[in-house]
Amino acid sequence: MRSGGGASRVVPRFRDVFVSPRRWALWRQGPRVVTYCLVSEVLAVVLTLKPSPIEVDRRTLAILGVLLALGILQSETGRRVERIRRRVSGTPHINMTSVWTFAGVLLLPPLLLAVLVGGLYLHLALRSWYRLQRVPASRTISNAAIILLSCYAAQGVLRLAGLDDVRSATSHPWPGTFAVAGAGATFFVVNALLVLPARREIGRTPEALFGTWADNGLEVATLCLGALNAVVVAMLPGLVVLVLPPLLLLHRTVLVRQLEVAAHRDDKTGLYNTSGWHAQAERTLAGAARQRGTFGLLMLDLDHFKQVNDTYGHLAGDAVLKAVAEAIIAAVRGRGDAVGRFGGEEFVVLLPGIAHPDISAVAERIRRAISALTVPVGKLRVTGLSVSIGIAAYPTAGTALQRLLDAADTALYHAKATGRNKVVHVADLV
């Protein structure tokens, strides 16, 4: 989740900043992150205490109690699934609070909305995050502040449309529909943008910045459930409990999806493992054979990687492998290219639908990116990395996957034997 507001974002967004060793402290994230988090928290407090034109009555207080109680109940019933999910994938906690917080946006005044967000995050901190991640209080407060600012931005859209809450929206069906949709979109976008400055390291790819299509789709789904939740509370409050079964099923679906992904991913780098990459490559090969297309295959091997482990230690070696993986991902063309790790310091890249000259250009871009890497390891910096790359192209180098791998490996061996830190195409060896 971005900051905890959506289905997968409180923590997908904050994982680079906040998911760290157990003795994590906010000041370790650097002055920029500390300043931004403090400013966002102060702004959230100021907006919460700002006088609201909406009166608080017993019905509104009852709505607050219902949303808070159901949010806590959903979190408790989903804790077992979350424990299994984290044990399998090791990825950040998913809380799906948007179902309740966005409903609060459409039903509650700012002060009670702050109580709802604070109550949900306090429960998560005590019951889920502490036991699952030992998350410190500073992170919980920052998460809650950013999600609250996203809620207030969404409420601002309703106010601009002349609506106080979802009840007034139902009196104007189409304008109200567009206003609620605009509030949801505002919540989604503002949440994504507010989290970026709180990250110590900013990813270089759209996926690293804003998450995968699955992450975003999950958050949209929880926002939709939140809107429906608000309408039900406003019209037929007794039916609000019906949101729990689909929400819990959605959480289990996330678990199943992550089990599938984990089975095809390398633990250290997040790239495809051998079986996952082979599955992608076989599909690409079959498609190229049907359509008489082409694709390129790169075999990469880090030069003198053993020296990194011997000099800096194996933890440093793992950091280098992860940095190299990120550099390769940033240097390839996009989602269609499949990057895998075959073990040790060997990587492989699949480039569908590409011509001979363009394959060499991508390989050279990867080589330069790795040569320019500086990998922080504690107080030290690992520099001077290089990579040797072998290239093979379908169908000129072969029409079977193993034949292509062998051809790329031959080109890689030639690159290693003739000086390293270079790109060699197997076609140039004939």
Side-chain angles (χ1 to χ4, degrees):
M1 294 174 213
R2 292 193 167 91
S3 73
S8 64
R9 287 232 172 127
V10 174
V11 197
R13 289 296 174 257
F14 271 96
R15 67 180 165 198
D16 294 333
V17 183
F18 294 120
V19 179
S20 50
R22 292 182 181 178
R23 287 189 286 266
W24 179 92
L26 182 61
W27 60 268
R28 293 183 184 178
Q29 303 305 312
R32 177 182 61 81
V33 173
V34 173
T35 301
Y36 179 78
C37 290
L38 291 176
V39 168
S40 63
E41 290 161 14
V42 170
L43 182 58
V45 171
V46 170
L47 293 177
T48 298
L49 298 180
K50 181 181 177 181
S52 172
I54 302 176
E55 295 183 2
V56 176
D57 53 21
R58 290 184 179 179
R59 187 170 188 271
T60 307
L61 290 173
I63 290 173
L64 169 64
V66 168
L67 292 178
L68 188 57
L70 289 176
I72 291 173
L73 177 61
Q74 178 261 316
S75 178
E76 286 292 326
T77 52
R79 286 177 73 243
R80 183 172 177 272
V81 172
E82 184 59 25
R83 282 198 299 268
I84 298 173
R85 192 190 68 82
R86 278 192 53 79
R87 194 179 304 128
V88 170
S89 67
T91 52
H93 181 78
I94 291 178
N95 63 52
M96 301 198 177
T97 54
S98 291
V99 173
W100 316 109
T101 57
F102 188 60
V105 166
L106 302 176
L107 291 166
L108 301 174
L111 181 59
L112 296 189
L113 180 57
V115 173
L116 173 64
V117 172
L120 292 175
Y121 274 78
L122 179 61
H123 173 264
L124 285 171
L126 296 177
R127 291 289 290 161
S128 296
W129 287 349
Y130 177 75
R131 294 190 178 188
L132 289 172
Q133 295 176 262
R134 300 296 191 270
V135 174
S138 55
R139 175 191 166 185
T140 301
I141 294 171
S142 296
N143 279 342
I146 285 183
I147 197 62
L148 192 55
L149 291 175
S150 302
C151 289
Y152 289 159
Q155 277 193 335
V157 172
L158 288 180
R159 303 294 183 267
L160 287 175
L163 303 174
D164 291 332
D165 54 26
V166 76
R167 289 185 291 270
S168 57
T170 57
S171 302
H172 306 82
W174 283 112
T177 298
F178 290 125
V180 171
T186 300
F187 182 102
F188 182 90
V189 173
V190 170
N191 191 209
L193 296 178
L194 285 178
V195 172
L196 288 180
R199 298 174 61 180
R200 182 174 57 182
E201 297 177 0
I202 304 298
R204 290 175 291 180
T205 64
E207 186 171 296
L209 284 170
F210 300 109
T212 64
W213 285 104
D215 292 336
N216 288 285
L218 187 58
E219 185 156 3
V220 169
T222 59
L223 288 172
C224 291
L225 283 175
L228 295 175
N229 196 9
V231 173
V232 169
V233 170
M235 306 294 290
L236 297 169
L239 297 181
V240 68
V241 295
L242 297 182
V243 77
L244 285 175
L247 188 58
L248 294 173
L249 182 61
L250 185 62
H251 200 174
R252 287 181 178 273
T253 301
V254 174
L255 171 63
V256 172
R257 171 61 181 160
Q258 291 187 337
L259 286 170
E260 293 173 349
V261 171
H264 292 89
R265 291 288 176 177
D266 173 62
D267 290 339
K268 289 184 179 178
T269 62
L271 301 177
Y272 285 111
N273 59 21
T274 303
S275 62
W277 187 88
H278 270 87
Q280 287 288 109
E282 291 289 358
R283 285 193 289 269
T284 299
L285 178 65
R290 286 195 308 270
Q291 302 170 13
R292 298 186 179 181
T294 63
F295 64 86
L297 194 153
L298 311 181
M299 189 79 74
L300 299 81
D301 193 84
L302 289 177
D303 299 325
H304 306 297
F305 181 69
K306 184 176 184 299
Q307 293 181 7
V308 174
N309 285 329
D310 292 344
T311 303
Y312 300 97
H314 288 280
L315 291 179
D318 291 346
V320 167
L321 290 173
K322 186 173 181 180
V324 167
E326 292 172 352
I328 297 172
I329 289 292
V332 297
R333 300 168 302 163
R335 293 179 60 86
D337 298 341
V339 183
R341 176 172 176 245
F342 275 11
E345 64 271 28
E346 191 172 60
F347 299 85
V348 64
V349 180
L350 188 70
L351 304 170
I354 191 170
H356 183 152
D358 296 326
I359 301 175
S360 298
V362 173
E364 184 60 29
R365 189 161 65 237
I366 293 172
R367 188 195 65 80
R368 289 196 302 267
I370 292 174
S371 295
L373 280 178
T374 296
V375 184
V377 180
K379 296 181 179 180
L380 303 176
R381 297 289 185 271
V382 179
T383 58
L385 297 171
S386 68
V387 65
S388 299
I389 304 177
I391 299 176
Y394 173 91
T396 55
T399 56
L401 182 57
Q402 190 57 53
R403 178 71 184 91
L404 290 166
L405 287 169
D406 291 341
D409 191 55
T410 298
L412 171 62
Y413 178 81
H414 189 270
K416 302 285 275 188
T418 56
R420 304 176 190 269
N421 192 24
K422 61 171 61 175
V423 175
V424 174
H425 199 302
V426 70
D428 297 333
L429 302 180
V430 179

